[in-house]
């Protein structure tokens, strides 16, 4: 009996001591911290209460009700999403703004080049140009349609431009004849053999195709990077991630020490678990960035669309002059191949030219490259974007490290003993996991199912992979045509519809000698074609000779 009384007495003393200790710890600091963070709880305990009701935080004595823990969970999810959004903000704005700048620049460059050519040719050539200006208008319309995503084969389109120009000039130079549509069709068959414009079409085709492929693909690459960054930064948190975030960010409140920050390695394991799928994006993202940098180098050098388009009127004028210089031989060869057309039956009217310039256009100098579009130059745009692209490498794998810094989440440089380890204030012992989904199999903080990759992230990985392939082809001067989206008013660089890889390195002899064209028996062959081109009235030649002269001003 005495022994039983002794046990009861001891138990009573311990209970009183425990209650005394319990009453000594209050939750006033927690209440203030909750108010400071904007929480509005129905009730925050004044003193610690037993924590058996808690589902995430340690279940010892606690300052949290179940309502508080639930709201901490909701806030943890919001805090995490906001933090990822904040950390990716600069990346996203970089791609948005640079895509806009490049797109505006290329479109304005096209518009300025067309306007400049039209204004100069009107002043210099007058009526002969204006009567045939649709040939040039169609050229620029097709170039713009290609850039903005149309299903345009650049090589075929440029070949067609030179064929149409040859038809128009041949008709003007031989206006004493009736030149029918069938006859023009015959002429177009021999454009490559005749080389009426010298070597200019071959060289210009190589320059234009490479430059436009690089420009369109690069802008589309910026668009893909923009979309991927925007989509991946909108994280979807799993229940296991939210539990880990709640425990890391707010269970210190329940333990009565809201000012204590998480240990850095603890934070890294939580973030690596929550961002495991995003980290898997990194290898493909880095390859995409490398491919963008390669095409950027091309834009600075041999595929510089600005250096191609700015002097294009001069190059076309040189081609026209070649046609003028060889007009007699061209006509002779055409008559051999297609037959001599029927005479018009009337004397060609005199076509006087008020002004015939005695000098060519002044030579184009690359050193004089102006600020042609969008208030900048391509060189300046490329220098800027290359710097930004380099900074964006390894962004997704570096995200946990960037988030787990003192100013944002962790205790920073505080002592290992003065940070929250998920249970109490003290050292965090588990090792930091590596990046990526498969490396989270033993993550001590976040339960991650490594057998179920995020399908949304995998879609972004595939989008980057496809774009990287297009960029590598553009670097080599080749084009992988995309689905035609011009009819839907799509943005620049969205691509066109052919499925082939189209090389842009054109073959062809450099010789300017005009070969003899073999006879086309389907054409109206005359019985006695002249050994020389028929005489052409001088006034008509003067009318077109303006097309062969370079302008005196730019």
């Amino acid at each position: 009996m005495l022994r039983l009384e002794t046990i009861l007495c001891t138990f009573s003393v311990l209970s009183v001591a425990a209650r005394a200790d319990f009453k000594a710890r209050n939750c006033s600091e927690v209440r203030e911290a909750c108010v400071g963070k904007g929480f509005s709880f129905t009730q925050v305990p004044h003193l610690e209460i037993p924590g058996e009701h808690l589902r995430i935080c340690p279940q010892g004595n606690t300052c949290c009700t179940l309502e508080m823990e639930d709201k901490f969970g909701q806030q943890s999810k919001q805090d995490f999403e906001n933090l990822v959004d904040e950390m990716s903000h600069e990346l996203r704005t970089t791609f948005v703004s640079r895509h806009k700048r490049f797109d505006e620049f290329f479109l304005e460059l096209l518009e300025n080049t067309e306007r400049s050519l039209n204004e100069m040719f009107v002043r210099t050539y007058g009526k002969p140009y204006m009567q045939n200006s649709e040939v040039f208008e169609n050229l620029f319309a097709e170039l713009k349609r290609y850039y903005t995503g149309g299903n345009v084969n650049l090589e075929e389109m440029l070949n067609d431009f030179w064929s149409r120009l040859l038809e128009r000039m041949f008709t003007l130079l031989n206006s004493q004849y009736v030149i029918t549509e069938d006859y023009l069709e015959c002429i177009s068959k021999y454009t490559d053999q005749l080389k009426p414009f010298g070597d200019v079409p071959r060289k210009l085709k190589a320059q234009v195709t490479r430059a436009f492929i690089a420009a369109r693909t690069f802008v589309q690459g910026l668009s893909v990077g923009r979309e991927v960054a925007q989509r991946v930064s909108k994280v979807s948190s799993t229940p296991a991630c939210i539990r880990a975030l709640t425990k890391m960010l707010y269970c210190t409140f329940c333990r009565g020490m809201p000012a204590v920050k998480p240990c850095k390695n603890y934070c890294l394991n939580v973030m690596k678990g929550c961002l495991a799928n995003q980290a898997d994006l990194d290898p493909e993202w880095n390859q995409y960035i490398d491919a963008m940098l390669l095409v950027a180098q091309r834009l600075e050098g041999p595929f510089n669309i600005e250096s191609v388009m700015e002097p294009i009127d001069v190059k076309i004028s040189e081609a026209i002059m070649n046609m003028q210089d060889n007009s007699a031989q061209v006509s002779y060869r055409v008559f051999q191949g297609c037959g001599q057309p029927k005479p018009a039956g009337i004397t060609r009217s005199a076509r006087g030219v008020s002004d015939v310039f005695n000098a060519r256009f002044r030579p184009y100098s690359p050193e004089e490259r102006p600020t042609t579009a969008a208030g900048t130059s391509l060189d300046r745009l490329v220098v800027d974007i290359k710097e930004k692209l380099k900074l964006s490498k390894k962004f997704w794998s570096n995200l946990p490290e960037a988030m787990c810094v003192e100013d944002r989440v962790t205790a920073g440089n505080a002592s290992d003993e003065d940070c929250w380890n998920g249970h109490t204030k003290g050292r965090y012992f588990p090792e930091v996991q590596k990046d990526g989904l498969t490396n989270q199999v033993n993550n001590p903080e976040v339960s991650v199912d490594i057998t179920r990759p995020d399908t949304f992230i995998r879609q972004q990985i595939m989008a980057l992979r496809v774009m990287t392939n297009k960029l590598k082809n553009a670097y080599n001067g080749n084009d992988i045509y995309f689905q035609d989206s011009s009819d839907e008013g799509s943005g620049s660089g969205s691509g066109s519809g052919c499925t082939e890889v189209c090389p842009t390195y054109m073959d062809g002899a450099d010789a300017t000698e005009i070969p003899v064209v073999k006879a086309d028996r389907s054409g109206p062959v005359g019985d006695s074609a002249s050994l020389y081109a028929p005489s052409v009235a001088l006034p008509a030649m003067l009318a077109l000779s303006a097309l062969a002269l370079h302008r005196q001003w730019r």
Side-chain angles (χ1 to χ4, degrees):
M1 185 67 177
L2 179 62
R3 185 177 179 183
L4 179 59
E5 291 177 352
T6 302
I7 293 173
L8 290 173
C9 181
T10 303
F11 180 76
S12 299
V13 170
L14 290 175
S15 298
V16 171
R19 285 195 298 271
D21 179 62
F22 178 75
K23 292 179 180 179
R25 300 175 62 181
N26 64 68
C27 300
S28 59
E29 186 179 355
V30 174
R31 295 170 64 87
E32 293 175 3
C34 288
V35 171
K37 279 194 167 283
F39 288 109
S40 56
F41 296 121
T42 304
Q43 179 182 3
V44 177
H46 292 279
L47 301 173
E48 285 185 327
I49 59 176
E52 290 86 356
H53 58 281
L54 299 179
R55 293 173 293 191
I56 298 175
C57 296
Q59 293 186 333
N61 294 333
T62 182
C63 289
C64 286
T65 62
L66 182 59
E67 175 203 15
M68 293 172 65
E69 189 183 49
D70 288 342
K71 287 194 175 180
F72 284 153
Q74 298 169 17
Q75 189 61 43
S76 296
K77 180 178 184 295
Q78 189 65 49
D79 288 349
F80 175 65
E81 293 174 355
N82 290 343
L83 188 56
V84 174
D85 185 76
E86 176 189 340
M87 296 302 303
S88 62
H89 176 76
E90 184 176 356
L91 178 72
R92 289 181 284 116
T93 55
T94 292
F95 277 92
V96 169
S97 63
R98 270 50 178 192
H99 174 269
K100 185 173 184 291
R101 289 183 191 177
F102 272 90
D103 190 40
E104 288 178 348
F105 177 84
F106 289 140
L107 288 172
E108 286 190 29
L109 178 64
L110 274 172
E111 293 173 0
N112 292 348
T113 303
E114 181 178 13
R115 183 170 56 251
S116 175
L117 181 145
N118 181 68
E119 291 175 352
M120 274 307 164
F121 279 28
V122 167
R123 286 199 298 265
T124 305
Y125 305 141
K127 189 175 181 180
Y129 164 73
M130 290 186 286
Q131 290 176 334
N132 297 279
S133 61
E134 72 273 10
V135 175
F136 301 90
E137 292 170 0
N138 290 339
L139 169 66
F140 284 96
E142 287 297 284
L143 288 174
K144 183 175 181 180
R145 190 163 75 88
Y146 171 83
Y147 172 74
T148 55
N151 185 3
V152 179
N153 185 306
L154 286 175
E155 292 187 32
E156 292 180 1
M157 183 272 292
L158 290 168
N159 288 339
D160 186 67
F161 164 73
W162 293 111
S163 294
R164 299 290 81 75
L165 188 58
L166 171 60
E167 292 172 4
R168 297 302 178 91
M169 290 193 66
F170 186 88
T171 301
L172 287 172
L173 288 167
N174 295 277
S175 59
Q176 74 273 31
Y177 294 106
V178 176
I179 308 297
T180 65
E181 290 296 325
D182 290 340
Y183 199 88
L184 291 176
E185 184 69 23
C186 179
I187 293 173
S188 66
K189 296 178 182 178
Y190 298 113
T191 303
D192 290 339
Q193 297 179 45
L194 290 169
K195 295 189 185 302
F197 300 109
D199 206 32
V200 173
R202 184 186 68 84
K203 292 180 178 178
L204 195 61
K205 180 162 62 175
Q207 294 168 350
V208 169
T209 52
R210 295 168 187 172
F212 270 79
I213 288 168
R216 182 173 83 161
T217 307
F218 190 78
V219 170
Q220 193 195 31
L222 289 173
S223 176
V224 169
R226 176 193 65 191
E227 294 304 315
V228 169
Q230 289 178 335
R231 290 169 180 170
V232 177
S233 63
K234 304 298 182 184
V235 291
S236 178
S237 306
T238 64
C241 171
I242 296 173
R243 287 177 63 87
L245 290 167
T246 304
K247 184 177 178 182
M248 180 181 75
L249 297 174
Y250 287 104
C251 282
T252 52
F253 285 64
C254 298
R255 297 292 286 171
M257 42 186 174
V260 178
K261 295 290 189 70
C263 302
K264 182 170 183 177
N265 287 353
Y266 174 35
C267 175
L268 287 173
N269 274 340
V270 172
M271 294 304 180
K272 284 174 182 281
C274 289
L275 296 170
N277 283 284
Q278 281 76 4
D280 280 350
L281 188 76
D282 222 42
E284 205 64 51
W285 175 265
N286 293 338
Q287 291 187 45
Y288 153 76
I289 294 297
D290 287 339
M292 287 288 290
L293 289 169
L294 285 175
V295 178
Q297 292 177 11
R298 293 299 204 199
L299 292 177
E300 287 181 305
F303 299 178
N304 187 312
I305 191 173
E306 186 176 19
S307 63
V308 170
M309 294 304 293
E310 202 277 333
I312 197 171
D313 48 1
V314 173
K315 295 176 181 179
I316 292 175
S317 180
E318 289 174 355
I320 292 173
M321 184 176 62
N322 284 330
M323 171 69 178
Q324 288 280 103
D325 292 343
N326 296 288
S327 60
Q329 290 175 295
V330 170
S331 295
Y332 171 61
R333 267 52 177 202
V334 168
F335 292 162
Q336 279 191 318
C338 299
Q340 187 165 330
K342 295 179 181 180
I346 57 173
T347 304
R348 192 171 55 177
S349 60
R351 298 174 184 175
V353 178
S354 59
D355 293 299
V356 177
F357 296 104
N358 296 318
R360 301 174 184 268
F361 289 130
R362 63 180 177 82
Y364 168 74
S365 173
E367 288 74 23
E368 300 173 5
R369 190 177 301 165
T371 299
T372 55
T376 186
S377 71
L378 184 57
D379 289 342
R380 288 193 286 270
L381 288 175
V382 172
V383 168
D384 170 73
I385 192 61
K386 284 172 64 178
E387 179 183 349
K388 299 294 184 183
L389 288 172
K390 290 174 183 176
L391 292 174
S392 70
K393 287 195 71 172
K394 298 184 178 180
F395 175 83
W396 305 105
S397 60
N398 287 337
L399 195 53
E401 188 77 33
M403 296 171 73
C404 292
V405 296
E406 183 176 3
D407 293 341
R408 295 187 177 91
V409 177
T410 69
N413 296 324
S415 169
D416 290 341
E417 305 294 337
D418 295 331
C419 57
W420 171 249
N421 62 18
H423 303 280
T424 186
K425 184 167 72 171
R427 185 183 299 271
Y428 181 78
F429 290 100
E431 66 178 12
V432 176
Q433 304 300 296
K434 294 181 179 179
D435 300 313
L437 183 65
T438 58
N439 289 317
Q440 307 312 308
V441 63
N442 294 317
N443 191 307
E445 308 304 334
V446 187
S447 177
V448 181
D449 186 353
I450 65 170
T451 66
R452 299 182 62 184
D454 188 306
T455 56
F456 179 76
I457 296 295
R458 265 52 197 175
Q459 290 172 358
Q460 308 314 307
I461 290 174
M462 183 56 64
L464 290 173
R465 189 170 297 162
V466 171
M467 191 66 244
T468 299
N469 186 43
K470 295 173 184 175
L471 288 163
K472 289 179 178 178
N473 275 278
Y475 174 78
N476 292 321
N478 299 329
D479 194 7
I480 297 180
Y481 289 120
F482 314 118
Q483 182 178 1
D484 187 359
S485 53
S486 58
D487 294 338
E488 301 174 3
S490 64
S492 329
S494 58
S496 63
C498 170
T499 58
E500 304 148 63
V501 176
C502 305
T504 62
Y505 294 94
M506 269 63 67
D507 297 325
D510 293 331
T512 58
E513 180 182 353
I514 302 177
V516 175
V517 179
K518 295 181 180 179
D520 181 356
R521 298 306 176 187
S522 63
V525 182
D527 294 331
S528 58
S530 303
L531 292 177
Y532 302 97
S535 61
V536 180
L538 180 61
M541 290 296 292
L542 288 175
L544 197 50
S545 66
L547 289 171
L549 298 174
H550 289 104
R551 62 189 177 220
Q552 291 178 320
W553 65 87
R554 173 167 286 280

